[in-house]
Amino acid sequence: DVRGYYGSPLALSVSGGSGNGAVTYAVTSPGTAGCFIAANGTDLLAASAGTCTVTATKAASATYRVRTSTIATMTFDKIAQPAALILSDSSFTFGTTLTLSATGGNGGGALSYGVSSAGSAGCSVNGSVLSATSGGSCSIIATRAASTNYISLTESFTITVNKAVQATLVIADVNGSYGEGLMLAASGGSGAGAVTFTVSSVGTSGCSIFSGVVTVSSPGTCTVIANKGSDDSYLAKNSATTLLTFSKGTQSALVLADGGMLFGVVLPLAASGGNGDGAISYALVSSGTANCSLSNTEVSATSTGTCTVAVTKSSSNNYFSKTQNFTITVGIAPQISLAVVTASGTVGESLQLSFTGGSGNGAVSWSVTVVGSARCGLIGSTLLATSAGSCTVRVSKATDDNYSVTSAT
């Protein structure tokens, strides 16, 4: 069995025989190789890999007869594919797939593909479709299968998986108030990159950002940009320039210095608190049970009870106006001091008692606190004595709606 390679001539030779007769060769069966003798008469050529059979004949000479060899089998082996494989595309973008396509090699062997190293991109292949779990790179192999004349050919290629463009990034909350920090948040984008915010224009509000919180020096507008950083699979992404609007702030609580008064006096209103330099004004909301009235900043009442006033601090450059209601309590007042009118009488005759002072319409009552040497007694406001001398009496004026009880001796 003599062997050669497809595509290369096989030089035929013989040994043995006798004499000097010329040697010739003949194909007895072209076989699967499709053999034929070259024009030089000594080279055996094949149309494809395979086998064929030949014989050698040595012609007769003066001393020897012609001689033909036994039939010899010639084998032409497959050869390596000389043409390199070429991959049509060696990169794609994360989030898409790459349909592998190779050219080159020799013969009609089918092309197939495999992943030799998943690499940083985490590649996998299904048929000829390559996918990845991340940006990065991986290694694949392309194989052109063996054919009639060629052995299989496998070559390695590096595939680059490019980072993808992120989805649109949007700043979520665009309205704030002076005096309150606006916590920025963004939606959209792709991947695990960190989100940061920057002021692109301080505008009329004088924006500044610290740790994602926007503060302003006055109501107005400014513009900011959100950025979501790159990761293994995505490029960095900026949002569109976004307008933030800051309204005037809400004032803090107002405080009324005094919310109570006594009947018969006037309460001058005084408020503090709020924010800004707006003027403070007052209004009567309800006259209530105290039947209050308001003159400029002073509250007066015709009875005890309650009423309601409103305190307003007007708007300023940075703050809206603030109005807050307060309840005013009008309490029972002390009466004007009572005084018993000192009097003298005669034993056996009644003495009508009297007093000065007091306030309101509370009932008046009298009592003897010390009967004394006069041995006094009372019938209503009439004082009687059984002997000459002195005694002590007390007058009391009861409480009413507006005044507390009072007494004097």
Side-chain angles (χ1 to χ4, degrees):
D1 188 5
V2 180
R3 307 187 78 86
Y5 291 96
Y6 167 74
S8 298
L10 180 60
L12 299 174
S13 63
V14 295
S15 61
S18 303
N20 55 6
V23 177
T24 59
Y25 302 93
V27 174
T28 56
S29 171
T32 57
C35 295
F36 60 94
I37 302 296
N40 65 8
T42 59
D43 286 342
L44 182 65
L45 301 176
S48 67
T51 60
C52 62
T53 56
V54 297
T55 57
T57 299
K58 192 167 187 177
S61 62
T63 308
Y64 296 97
R65 293 194 296 269
V66 65
R67 179 74 174 188
T68 298
S69 69
T70 58
I71 295 173
T73 299
M74 304 295 174
T75 299
F76 285 87
D77 291 325
K78 296 178 181 182
I79 61 172
Q81 299 179 42
L85 292 175
I86 299 171
L87 198 63
S88 61
D89 199 347
S90 60
S91 67
F92 67 106
T93 300
F94 174 74
T96 65
T97 58
L98 175 64
T99 299
L100 298 171
S101 177
T103 58
N106 299 90
L111 286 165
S112 60
Y113 307 93
V115 173
S116 56
S117 171
S120 58
C123 293
S124 60
V125 68
N126 182 7
S128 62
V129 178
L130 186 68
S131 57
T133 60
S134 174
S137 62
C138 60
S139 297
I140 67 155
I141 54 173
T143 299
R144 186 176 286 281
S147 60
T148 302
N149 298 322
Y150 298 95
I151 60 175
S152 65
L153 173 64
T154 297
E155 293 194 43
S156 294
F157 299 92
T158 297
I159 302 295
T160 300
V161 182
N162 298 314
K163 293 182 179 182
V165 175
Q166 292 187 44
T168 300
L169 189 64
V170 178
I171 295 177
D173 195 352
V174 297
N175 294 301
S177 299
Y178 173 79
E180 299 178 7
L182 176 62
M183 176 65 76
L184 294 177
S187 60
S190 308
V195 176
T196 57
F197 302 91
T198 56
V199 174
S200 57
S201 170
V202 296
T204 58
S205 64
C207 289
S208 61
I209 295 179
F210 181 75
S211 297
V213 178
V214 181
T215 56
V216 296
S217 58
S218 66
T221 60
C222 64
T223 55
V224 297
I225 294 173
N227 174 271
K228 188 165 187 177
S230 63
D231 62 9
D232 291 340
S233 302
Y234 292 95
L235 299 168
K237 178 73 173 182
N238 281 343
S239 70
T241 299
T242 302
L243 182 71
L244 303 183
T245 300
F246 290 86
S247 65
K248 291 182 178 182
T250 300
Q251 294 187 45
S252 59
L254 297 171
V255 178
L256 193 63
D258 195 348
M261 59 187 283
L262 296 178
F263 174 75
V265 299
V266 173
L267 175 66
L269 297 175
S272 60
N275 300 93
D277 54 5
I280 293 179
S281 61
Y282 307 92
L284 183 65
V285 177
S286 171
S287 59
T289 57
N291 195 26
C292 294
S293 60
L294 177 67
S295 177
N296 294 323
T297 62
E298 293 183 332
V299 177
S300 57
T302 62
S303 176
T304 58
T306 61
C307 59
T308 305
V309 298
V311 179
T312 297
K313 189 166 186 176
S314 61
S315 64
S316 59
N317 289 335
N318 296 332
Y319 293 95
F320 290 117
S321 65
K322 172 81 171 182
T323 298
Q324 194 169 331
N325 289 348
F326 295 90
T327 298
I328 303 296
T329 301
V330 182
I332 293 176
Q335 295 184 43
I336 296 172
S337 296
L338 288 174
V340 178
V341 177
T342 303
S344 61
T346 302
V347 175
E349 296 181 4
S350 62
L351 176 64
Q352 186 65 44
L353 298 175
S354 64
F355 67 93
T356 60
S359 306
N361 55 11
V364 177
S365 60
W366 295 86
S367 62
V368 175
T369 57
V370 179
V371 297
S373 58
R375 308 302 294 173
C376 294
L378 276 171
I379 299 174
S381 61
T382 301
L383 184 67
L384 300 173
T386 60
S387 63
S390 64
C391 63
T392 304
V393 296
R394 177 184 295 276
V395 63
S396 296
K397 190 167 186 179
T399 185
D400 62 9
D401 290 339
N402 298 323
Y403 294 97
S404 59
V405 65
T406 190
S407 62
T409 56

